[in-house]
Amino acid sequence: MASSVAGQRAIPDNFPEYRRGVVLGATAYGLWGLFPLYWTLLGDAGALETLAHRMVWSLVVVLGVVWWLGRRRGTGFAPVRAVLADRRRLVLLATAAVLIAFNWGAYIWGVNNGRVVETALGYFTGPLVSVLIGVLLLGERLRTWQWVAVGLGAVAVVVLAIGYGQVPWVALILAFSFSTYGLVKKLAGVAAVESVGIEAGVTLVPALAYICFVEADGSGTFFSLGAGHALLLVGGGIVSTLPLLAFGGAAVRIPLSMIGLLQYLAPVLQFAFGVLVFHERMPPERWLGFAIVWLGLAVLTADGMRSARTPRVLEPA
């Protein structure tokens, strides 16, 4: 009886952290949804140079946050050193760094090449890919309606490939890289600030090497396009770090299923910007493809809500 009461009290005790995770997740995806407005300002720099500066200045921002938190808590850089001493978590975060760099590069390229709608498609299909990853990598068993949702996603990709005249590879890269990134972050279980800092540190050397290379051969834009452009490149570190910190905080507080639901916020904003602000073409076949994706997401969401309401046999605490 005592163990049962203890188990019941654990839920209210954890609810503030769960609620904080939901708020952090919504903040992260809301900021990501606004990204097309920012990255189009850096079209002259190109995707790789923008990505390299994003990596470098993100590290500067995160180191400042780590220093401030360490001083406030009296821990200094001890939490970072503890993670660096854990080989398993270090490997996971290095993998996460590669995945998010790949995701960033594809996203910036898509925005600066008139594919904002396709980048939105990538994040719309993210929840469906997360379900598929659960089957392929975690050995999870899907319910019937989850299989229906994944099947609808596959059909949508075929329809959109016909509509685009090619496979929507930007969308697929974004969907698979970010869904896998979320899984790796979940497995690492490292606090948001430390994890983002270590990820940025992993990519520092190649990012600096590329910046030095383009500046040496005269193709770099940091010093050649004025102070405003340089400040935008530096600001990329700030606008990149804030949602990553929020996402990192959400990933260790809420289940992947809730993260999958929150993912809808960013692509809705991106899709609206692509159609209403950047006036990208949406012929009927693309509307059909998106409609199938949205139907799949509706099926997945409804199934998840129904499953959450289904009474379960309580296990001993």
Side-chain angles (χ1 to χ4, degrees):
M1 184 68 178
S3 63
S4 178
V5 172
Q8 292 175 4
R9 288 178 179 174
I11 296 175
D13 290 343
N14 290 332
F15 182 72
E17 283 299 301
Y18 180 88
R19 182 173 56 188
R20 188 175 293 114
V22 172
V23 172
L24 288 171
T27 300
Y29 286 109
L31 290 173
W32 276 319
L34 299 175
F35 269 11
L37 299 179
Y38 191 91
W39 300 120
T40 52
L41 301 175
L42 290 167
D44 292 334
L48 286 179
E49 185 181 3
T50 301
L51 176 62
H53 278 282
R54 186 177 184 177
M55 293 173 175
V56 171
W57 299 114
S58 293
L59 178 60
V60 174
V61 174
V62 175
L63 285 177
V65 174
V66 171
W67 173 83
W68 178 77
L69 287 177
R71 183 177 181 183
R72 182 182 177 186
R73 299 168 179 169
T75 58
F77 286 89
V80 175
R81 290 194 293 269
V83 176
L84 293 175
D86 188 327
R87 183 175 180 180
R88 174 185 173 275
R89 291 196 292 178
L90 184 58
V91 170
L92 286 171
L93 291 181
T95 303
V98 174
L99 289 168
I100 199 61
F102 206 54
N103 183 272
W104 281 352
Y107 181 75
I108 295 171
W109 186 92
V111 169
N112 289 333
N113 285 272
R115 296 193 176 189
V116 175
V117 170
E118 188 177 344
T119 64
L121 173 65
Y123 293 114
F124 270 127
T125 55
L128 301 175
V129 172
S130 294
V131 172
L132 185 61
I133 287 176
V135 174
L136 298 178
L137 299 183
L138 302 181
E140 296 179 357
R141 298 181 62 182
L142 299 187
R143 297 181 294 274
T144 301
W145 287 110
Q146 288 178 311
W147 277 117
V148 171
V150 172
L152 287 170
V155 171
V157 170
V158 174
V159 172
L160 288 164
I162 296 173
Y164 278 99
Q166 62 179 4
V167 175
W169 59 270
V170 173
L172 293 177
I173 288 175
L174 292 176
F176 278 91
S177 61
F178 197 76
S179 296
T180 308
Y181 173 76
L183 172 64
V184 172
K185 293 275 282 191
K186 188 77 174 176
L187 293 175
V190 178
V193 176
E194 288 79 8
S195 64
V196 173
I198 292 172
E199 291 167 29
V202 169
T203 59
L204 176 64
V205 173
L208 275 178
Y210 183 79
I211 291 173
C212 292
F213 172 76
V214 295
E215 293 296 339
D217 75 354
S219 61
T221 63
F222 187 77
F223 297 105
S224 61
L225 294 183
H229 179 79
L231 287 175
L232 284 173
L233 286 172
V234 174
I238 300 175
V239 301
S240 300
T241 303
L242 291 179
L244 275 179
L245 290 173
F247 177 79
V252 296
R253 287 178 170 88
I254 58 178
L256 282 175
S257 58
M258 177 57 68
I259 291 176
L261 292 175
L262 292 173
Q263 283 182 9
Y264 299 163
L265 179 59
V268 164
L269 292 172
Q270 293 165 4
F271 181 81
F273 288 136
V275 175
L276 302 177
V277 177
F278 300 109
H279 305 293
E280 294 186 14
R281 290 180 61 252
M282 283 295 293
E285 58 271 19
R286 292 187 190 176
W287 280 112
L288 176 60
F290 270 88
I292 296 173
V293 170
W294 294 331
L295 177 60
L297 292 176
V299 170
L300 187 65
T301 303
D303 179 75
M305 295 176 66
R306 182 191 61 79
S307 177
R309 289 195 301 265
T310 302
R312 291 180 174 84
V313 178
L314 294 178
E315 296 178 359

